[in-house]
Amino acid sequence: MSAITRAEVDHLAALARIAMSDDELDQLAGELDVIVGSVAKVSEVATDEIPATSHPLPMTNVFREDVVETPLTASEALSGAPAAEDGKFLVPQILGDEQ
Amino acid sequence: MSDVTRLSAAELAEQLGRGDVTSVEVTQAHLDRIAAVDPAIHAFLHVSSDEALATAADVDARRAAGEPLHALAGVPIAVKDVVVTKDIPTTAGSKILDGWIPPYDATLVTRLRQAGLPILGKTNMDEFAMGSSTEHSAYGPTRNPWDETRIPGGSGGGSAAAVAAFEAPLAIGTDTGGSIRQPAAVTGSVGVKPTYGGVSRYGLIAMASSLDQAGPVTRSVLDSALLHELIGGHDPRDSTSIPESLPELVAAARGGDVAGMRLGVVSQLSGDGYEPGVKARFDDALALLADAGAEIVEVSCPSFDYALDAYYLIMPSEASSNLARFDGMRFGARTLPDEGPVTAERVMAATRGAGFGPEVKRRIMLGTYALSAGYYDAYYGSAQKVRTLIQRDFAAAFDKVDVLVSPTSPTTAFELGAKLDDPMAMYLNDVATIPANLAGVPGISLPSGLSSDGLPAGFQILGPAKADDRLYRVGSVLERLLEQQWGGPLLAQAPTLEVA
Amino acid sequence: MTDLVDYDEAIAEFDPVLGIEVHVELGTATKMFDGAPNSFAAEPNSQVTPVSLGLPGALPAVNRRAVEYAIKIGLALNCEIAEYCRFARKNYFYPDNPKNFQTSQYDEPIAYEGHLDVELDDGEVFRVKIERAHMEEDAGKNTHVGGSGRIQGADHSLVDYNRAGVPLVEIVTHPIEGAGSRAPEVARAYVRTLRDIFRTLGVSEARMEQGNVRADVNLSLRADPGAPLGTRTETKNVNSFRSIERAVRYEVSRQAGVLRAGGAVTQETRHFHEDTASTSSGRPKSDADDYRYFPEPDLVPVAPSREWVEELRAALPEPASDRRKRLQAEWGYSDLEMRDVVNADLLEPIEQTVAAGCAPAAARKWWSGELARTAKAKDVEVTELGVGPAHIAELAGLVDAGKLNDALARQVLEGVIAGEGAPSEVMAGRGLEMVSDDGALTAAVDKAMADQPDVVAKIQGGKVQAVGALIGPIMKEMRGKADASKIRELILERAGQ
């Protein structure tokens, strides 16, 4: 595996929405490289014919019936909000597009 | 009155049932003990004295009124701070949740409350359960009651230390790669990771959803069985919860017998890297079990050599997504950027930059990398295939033997700070515990004795999925045989703590 | 900014290829993954549980009915229904996205590879190939405060999570080729047909104006139908049938302008503006769109049994096109009449009106006549006038019974719209019932004939159409509350004809 570059770490930090200092980024570049290198060996044994396991126990079709339960009250919902206004969560200005 | 804090939960339950003591007395005694020793140990992040005493008083009143009560009613408990508790602060050991008071209870907490167990408080842990030493707590480390210069294991070091220091008879832990079993091993206590899906994850702040499991941390095998039966069983709020009812765990712990059982020693979990003292206690324990009629078989699980690697891809991948919600928008702390425009995107980044510690950032970054376009197949995809191989190894082994055994952790408790700067060395602590999480099978750790350095070592027993009763069956026999040798519980040999 | 090319010129020069993504909010009682009520008109943030708010520790649990609705939609679109599929996490940070990942389906949709036959305005049928239909959850709603109230320039935003977690099905087409100049119409007719299907299936109220159905329209141009696909743009959230058509037209003209000027179309999302019928540049697609999809570990796979699927297939309602053909035959409408009714979205009210006992012709007359005109004048949907099928059936019954004439009936309808009650109540309240007392009527007829002997003479001379000159004054005398045909009968009788 190729070394993880500083630019790549920068990009990952943006994807993960974590503000980091230059020192942190430098340190992480080195650490991630060691970790990624050491775990890359999984691909040695993970051959094509082996199926992937995403759930430890095989289960399917676990459903909930469409029955209303008592929701949180608006004040409970907002109880942990860093900022609120008019019964809504107040967030800083959003740039860019709505999803 | 004897010191009720030295009693096991089963003994306390009996005394409460007979009316020898009240829950208020028992709860107050533990709160007093916490006040006395926790300044040194720092097992607790929050002590909920008022709530605990109120629950205790309520249980006492109901008992006096002749109401039928749960066997553990009135026995106090400590809960790892990664488990959500309504009206009791919950931080997961992170600054990013500083001051958050959840508006709901985890399912297992609901069950504790319904059964009338006073909740003493929330225990310390590595931030978001990421670590093997509890040094990654944003609120300072917990110290090992056997030696305060040493780590209590992690991530659930607080729960294990609280139990080992007689601050609580029972505690709840969570185990993603060994966070119940490894702390139990290095503090001389008992910890159980149930079969995946055996205890509801609803209300557990998730690290890695496909690996996380809550379970008991106690001072005896029977106590673990009692607590496991209380918190376990199907929960419709957790879609991965096992629909079948639990096997009879308490009965297995009470009627333990290994005659005719086949115990598999996993060759991959006993080689290099295991301290000689840890190995010696493991071999001694094995000999006792053989004397009691168990057949010891060597088994090979070759894919276990890849378990750590697969784990350190799956865990951070899931964690990077699970921890995305901590962004300072709906709950928890919000940090504004030092400079530049105050936009939602930049506030999220500043909040996460300031709120997460280095280990959390490391794992989120690693997981983000492993899931990103172009790498998914090589990393996450391959790791999930290794998971299949490990499951196959377990299945083949359990065709031959009833349970698998190994030392829980390769070493005894290391010194605080010893591995803080070397993530890979820290990760190696989990080498023996991780395979169970990847395959979803249950495991228990119980003390095997003191290693050559005078510190506790752990004995791990792994069973097939949904056969958690086998852990209790074998564990209770081993515990009885060892305690006969020691003349009582191992924890009785722990140094007396300075009282503040 | 490049110049727009005239639409017809653009189409003569380029071949448009469409792609349409439609999101429909399912009308379940609860959300996709939790028991919070699926009703976001309530007090803000009062329809959330720890799950839909994305609180730490909360876990999803799949709504069985939402899965059932998704399968029904898949079947109605002639799709294969997956034997095994999973949910996946789509990771992106956005304040209205409570977990900062959306639980969706990625490479394993519940339904895939289907088609939908779409009838255009002139009756031509166009087949749209469906790539997939998958299940996912909706996000919360942002309100932008300060500035112009738009996202750009706002001071801060307020988030209501009542909509977060509402079940959605997203339907994605294969590239729609061969529509040529009719691409805008195909786009509109496709979404409209889908909307009808959602309603017929009963899986959603499917009200465009409320955002129950939202369309994203992809468009690219290429030199000719044999050429590889050009770069596409995605115009987001186009929320009326008319806007869909206009958005496609605009993008055809705009992209043609870019290409003709020798430029390259930028792959980006664009926003549609109702007021100017134009689109503007949004966010370019970039590396940042790395959603890091992976299977949702908190949910287990969905593996609908074939028995369940067949049960749902057997219970599917009649396809919309079959239904239209059947109703047209039953009602005896001409092709043109039927098309007008369908295009004006009046099939359902007319069907209900007929079911309430009204003659099909009268039902059509009232809905597509007086009511459609009034709705247009008031700029509302015809179904929002407060007049229901039962009202129209009652009104037509009063006309048939000779209690109202057309002019009176229109006045009664006005009263119903004004909220004065049911037709009979309005008739009584306003005193509009036709006079049935023959004495008063014959007196008025006699008076009028006496007043205008010359007219009577003409009638008697065989010019029967002269009757009209007498009817006016008689109606006036009767204050309109008389049946013109009866008046005519009386005059002719008295004139000895």
Side-chain angles (χ1 to χ4, degrees), chain A residues 1-4 8-20 24-25 27-28 31-32 34-59 62 64 69 72 76-83 89-95, chain B residues 86 100-101 103 195-196 210 237 239-243 305-306 309-310 312-313 328-334 342-345 347-350 352-353 356 361-362 364-366 368-369 372 375 378-379 381-389 391-392 423-424 427 437-440 465-466:
Chain A
M1 287 296 149
S2 59
I4 297 183
E8 237 174 325
V9 179
D10 248 339
H11 172 66
L12 288 176
L15 265 182
R17 283 283 191 286
I18 304 178
M20 290 200 211
E24 279 182 294
L25 290 170
Q27 198 183 338
L28 270 167
E31 287 173 351
L32 289 179
V34 170
I35 296 165
V36 170
S38 73
V39 295
K41 85 178 200 206
V42 295
S43 37
E44 292 169 15
V45 286
T47 51
D48 286 348
E49 70 277 10
I50 301 167
T53 296
S54 56
H55 289 85
L57 301 181
M59 288 165 73
V62 175
R64 174 180 63 77
E69 69 174 276
L72 296 172
E76 282 173 327
L78 290 158
S79 64
F89 292 82
L90 189 155
V91 302
Q93 63 172 160
I94 303 168
L95 293 187
Chain B
K86 188 175 187 203
W100 185 54
I101 299 177
T195 299
Y196 181 82
S210 74
R237 291 188 189 279
S239 300
T240 61
S241 166
I242 297 170
D305 288 342
Y306 299 91
D309 309 281
Y312 276 95
L313 289 170
M329 297 294 119
R330 289 160 297 282
F331 51 81
R334 175 181 290 181
V342 181
T343 64
E345 180 174 340
V347 170
M348 286 182 184
R352 292 162 65 79
F356 290 143
K361 288 179 188 170
R362 185 153 47 224
I364 291 176
M365 294 284 281
L366 182 58
T368 304
Y369 179 76
S372 58
Y375 295 113
Y379 291 140
S382 297
Q384 298 283 37
K385 290 182 172 190
V386 170
R387 205 164 177 173
T388 306
L389 295 174
Q391 286 193 327
R392 289 178 182 171
M424 281 315 288
Y427 298 169
N437 298 83
L438 288 171
K466 304 182 192 177

Side-chain angles (χ1 to χ4, degrees), chain C residues 448-496:
Chain C
M449 289 177 79
D451 286 351
Q452 300 193 64
D454 50 330
V455 177
V456 174
K458 276 185 192 165
I459 296 168
Q460 286 168 336
K463 294 189 85 177
V464 176
Q465 65 270 37
V467 166
L470 294 175
I471 290 178
I474 297 167
M475 269 293 187
K476 199 173 171 195
E477 179 77 19
M478 298 299 294
R479 294 207 201 127
K481 291 185 262 179
D483 183 343
S485 61
K486 192 161 183 192
I487 294 172
R488 182 185 158 89
E489 226 169 81
L490 281 171
I491 295 170
L492 293 179
E493 189 187 299
R494 279 172 158 59

